[in-house]
């Protein structure tokens, strides 16, 4: 699998994190996204007319949608360890995967405005992201009451992997973790997953 | 902005005990003063000014190593007395004892960690005397603490310790369960409630309590937004 990657993009990190936690290797093609905007160059627009990263290639396959990429990589894992077998649990996982990849794109955007000169109003985006992390924190509070520490059940799933970067990186656009104690505890669990890796902005405590 | 100097000296709940695991840290704010709450690996809780004396990085971004907390920026490490013990860039250096972080008086009772504020005041009164309780959740609300106290009174809350003006907690009865609510003023327009219940409280009651918390936050914030 080839990942067209930019190290500072959290969406690219989500894919790298998943690959690492599932013991799969990715061939990284580093794209000069900032300041070069290489993902909007002619050859890249051929791969993804939307002019965005990440892009995942595997043989004939070329994927540009974040959830599609994550699901594909999770399924390539022989153990499929992050895809729940139970259908209800799998549906809950997909529900939160949608939250991570669609709803929380405001957090990705806020960070891009704060760090990478993207256009947008960071205060508005930050307020939206804060509402979403509240929802996540409320949910994780309920989960732990039921003895389930992950978003979709007792075991970590693809949704947790997809959610973690957004939460871990929100300080980049000045949203602190203060108000989200349940999410803080959950993030600490994600850090202990075998294969866990970091990226700039997510400190390695060792 | 609230003048922290004018705030009365008092014990303020800053986190639920079970939300600060051994070996972790978190940031919070009391009357606009930034505080790092952390627990050493031996289990003792600490509340300090959330600022590294080196370059001002927040200590709550850092990490705990045994009974030291280390700054994320350049790794300066502080012992439980707040004194800098180690500077990674100069491992041979005997660190001057003057490099230290100011600490708040800190205690734990009723399932919550309490800090004596404002910074630098001597503890004039003993911490609230609460039974052993278990934290359910902390809820952060965009409204003045007085507004939230008012809403709690409508739920029939009884301010604890009648004579104590600054007790910073209250109790509310939910069905037959006595719920203890620690009140933390973050700033003029924001506060946190730390919710704790007796250990034998059922899961069903706790779930009902979570609904109650979310409803309270929604209704108070809606009122606040309309005001
Ligand atoms: S700012 Fe804390 S060590 Fe430099």
């Amino acid at each position: 699998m080839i990942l067209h990657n930019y190290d500072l993009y959290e969406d690219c990190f989500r894919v790298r994190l998943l690959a690492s936690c599932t013991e799969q290797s990715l061939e990284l093609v580093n794209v000069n996204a900032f300041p070069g905007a290489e993902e909007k160059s002619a050859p890249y627009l051929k791969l993804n007319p939307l002019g965005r990263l990440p892009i995942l290639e595997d043989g004939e396959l070329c994927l540009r949608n974040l959830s599609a990429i994550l699901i594909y990589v999770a399924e390539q894992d022989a153990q499929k360890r992050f895809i729940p077998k139970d259908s209800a649990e799998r549906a809950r996982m997909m529900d939160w995967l949608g939250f991570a990849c669609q709803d929380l794109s405001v957090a990705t955007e806020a960070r891009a405005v704060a760090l990478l000169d993207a256009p947008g109003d960071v205060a508005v985006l930050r307020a939206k992201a804060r509402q979403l992390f509240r929802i996540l924190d409320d949910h994780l509070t309920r989960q732990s009451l039921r003895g389930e520490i992950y978003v979709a059940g007792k075991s970590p799933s693809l949704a947790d992997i997809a959610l973690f970067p957004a939460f871990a990186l929100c300080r980049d656009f000045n949203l602190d973790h203060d108000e989200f104690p349940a999410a803080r505890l959950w993030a600490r669990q994600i850090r202990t997953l075998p294969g866990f890796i970091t990226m700039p902005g997510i400190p390695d405590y060792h | 902005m609230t003048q922290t100097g004018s705030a009365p000296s008092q014990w303020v709940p800053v986190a639920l005990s079970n939300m600060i695991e051994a070996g972790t840290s978190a940031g919070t704010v009391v009357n606009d003063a930034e505080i790092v709450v952390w627990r050493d690996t031996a289990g003792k809780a600490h509340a300090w000014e959330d600022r590294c004396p080196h370059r001002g990085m927040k200590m709550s971004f850092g990490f705990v190593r045994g009974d030291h907390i280390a700054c994320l920026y350049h790794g300066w490490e502080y012992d439980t007395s707040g004194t800098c013990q180690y500077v990674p860039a100069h491992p041979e250096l005997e660190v001057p004892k003057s490099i230290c972080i100011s600490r708040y008086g800190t205690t734990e009772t009723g399932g919550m960690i309490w800090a004596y504020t404002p910074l630098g005041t001597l503890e004039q009164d003993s911490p609230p005397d609460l039974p052993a309780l278990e934290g359910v959740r902390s809820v952060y609300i965009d409204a003045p603490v007085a507004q939230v106290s008012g809403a709690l009174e409508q739920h029939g809350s009884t301010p604890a310790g009648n004579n104590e003006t600054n007790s910073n907690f209250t109790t509310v009865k939910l069905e037959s369960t006595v719920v203890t609510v620690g009140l933390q003023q973050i700033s003029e327009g924001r506060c946190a409630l730390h919710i704790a219940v007796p250990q034998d409280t059922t899961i069903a009651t706790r779930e009902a309590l979570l609904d109650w918390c979310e409803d309270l936050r929604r209704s108070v914030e809606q009122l606040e937004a309309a005001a």
Side-chain angles (χ1 to χ4, degrees):
Chain A
M1 292 183 284
I2 299 171
L3 179 71
H4 295 271
N5 170 66
Y6 179 60
D7 275 345
L8 296 184
Y9 278 170
E10 79 181 72
D11 286 353
C12 297
F13 172 63
R14 296 190 215 215
V15 185
R16 298 197 305 272
L17 177 63
L18 172 62
S20 176
C21 290
T22 52
E23 301 164 89
Q24 301 184 81
S25 56
L26 290 171
E27 191 185 317
L28 293 184
V29 176
N30 287 315
V31 180
N32 176 8
F34 186 80
E38 196 188 346
E39 75 276 23
K40 295 187 173 63
S41 65
Y44 266 103
L45 287 175
K46 219 172 213 161
L47 282 179
N48 182 6
L50 294 167
R52 273 200 308 252
L53 296 177
I55 301 167
L56 188 87
E57 285 186 282
D58 194 19
E60 293 294 287
L61 194 66
C62 180
L63 302 172
R64 308 104 181 179
N65 175 278
L66 182 57
S67 3
I69 293 174
L70 292 172
I71 292 168
Y72 183 74
V73 174
E75 286 194 327
Q76 292 308 107
D77 169 24
Q79 298 176 39
K80 296 197 182 12
R81 70 197 89 185
F82 292 124
I83 301 183
K85 292 191 182 53
D86 173 73
S87 69
E89 204 175 305
R90 191 166 59 244
R92 288 170 69 199
M93 183 280 276
M94 295 296 284
D95 201 34
W96 282 99
L97 184 65
F99 182 84
C101 296
Q102 279 114 56
D103 300 297
L104 266 178
S105 62
V106 293
T108 315
E109 227 182 296
R111 185 171 166 275
V113 174
L115 287 191
L116 303 165
D117 265 1
D121 183 338
V122 76
V124 171
L125 293 166
R126 187 191 303 120
K128 284 187 182 164
R130 180 172 173 243
Q131 285 306 325
L132 294 169
F133 287 130
R134 257 193 186 181
I135 292 170
L136 177 65
D137 192 67
D138 287 352
H139 174 68
L140 288 166
T141 306
R142 279 170 199 281
Q143 284 294 93
S144 68
L145 201 54
R146 299 186 191 119
E148 303 195 336
I149 52 175
Y150 297 100
V151 286
K154 285 193 169 64
S155 328
S157 71
L158 180 56
D160 296 285
I161 302 278
L163 283 164
F164 173 84
F167 182 69
L169 291 165
C170 69
R171 287 161 168 173
D172 280 349
F173 56 92
N174 271 321
L175 183 62
D176 275 347
H177 291 169
D178 298 19
E179 290 188 2
F180 314 111
R184 245 173 14 225
L185 292 182
W186 159 85
R188 211 167 112 76
Q189 289 301 319
I190 306 294
R191 282 180 166 277
T192 65
L193 291 179
F196 178 82
I197 51 168
T198 58
M199 67 166 272
I202 302 179
D204 187 352
Y205 293 149
H206 302 289
Chain B
M1 201 160 105
T2 317
Q3 270 280 311
T4 45
S6 65
S9 45
Q10 55 188 316
W11 287 100
V12 178
V14 290
L16 288 173
S17 297
N18 57 9
M19 289 292 155
I20 309 291
E21 295 180 320
T24 66
S25 61
T28 192
V29 175
V30 173
N31 291 321
D32 297 312
E34 294 177 337
I35 298 177
V36 53
V37 185
W38 66 281
R39 195 184 291 286
D40 59 44
T41 40
K44 195 173 180 322
H46 309 269
W48 294 0
E49 183 177 18
D50 196 4
R51 196 174 177 282
C52 178
H54 180 221
R55 293 272 176 83
M57 180 72 170
K58 280 189 175 191
M59 291 305 295
S60 54
F61 287 14
F63 46 97
V64 179
R65 276 196 183 136
D67 60 353
H68 285 193
I69 183 165
C71 178
L72 182 63
Y73 218 174
H74 314 94
W76 290 23
E77 284 185 26
Y78 302 84
D79 68 15
T80 52
S81 75
T83 311
C84 184
Q85 292 293 357
Y86 183 64
V87 172
H90 305 279
E92 308 304 321
L93 182 78
E94 172 95 29
V95 185
K97 292 280 166 281
S98 56
I99 303 178
C100 58
I101 305 181
S102 306
R103 295 174 301 157
Y104 292 87
T106 312
T107 193
E108 286 187 77
T109 179
M112 301 171 204
I113 301 174
W114 299 73
Y116 199 75
T117 70
L119 194 62
T121 42
L122 285 176
E123 294 166 32
Q124 289 153 0
D125 35 36
S126 44
D129 183 21
L130 293 172
L133 298 171
E134 213 168 76
V136 175
R137 76 163 298 177
S138 298
V139 47
Y140 294 80
I141 304 185
D142 292 343
V145 74
Q147 190 86 22
V148 176
S149 301
L152 288 173
E153 268 164 43
Q154 286 177 4
H155 281 272
S157 77
T158 37
N162 344 325
N163 302 329
E164 297 171 47
T165 42
N166 300 315
S167 58
N168 290 326
F169 71 96
T170 185
T171 55
V172 185
K173 243 185 160 174
L174 199 79
E175 284 147 44
S176 60
T177 307
V178 177
V179 179
T180 302
V181 182
L183 301 160
Q184 173 188 356
Q185 171 156 326
I186 292 173
S187 61
E188 244 168 61
R190 283 174 61 205
C191 65
L193 307 186
H194 305 287
I195 314 280
V197 292
Q199 267 132 1
D200 61 3
T201 307
T202 63
I203 301 278
T205 305
R206 289 171 197 241
E207 291 209 333
L209 187 52
L210 293 183
D211 288 337
W212 179 84
C213 288
E214 289 171 25
D215 290 346
L216 178 77
R217 181 180 63 198
R218 194 175 305 117
S219 62
V220 171
E221 289 188 347
Q222 272 168 6
L223 270 181
E224 196 50 27

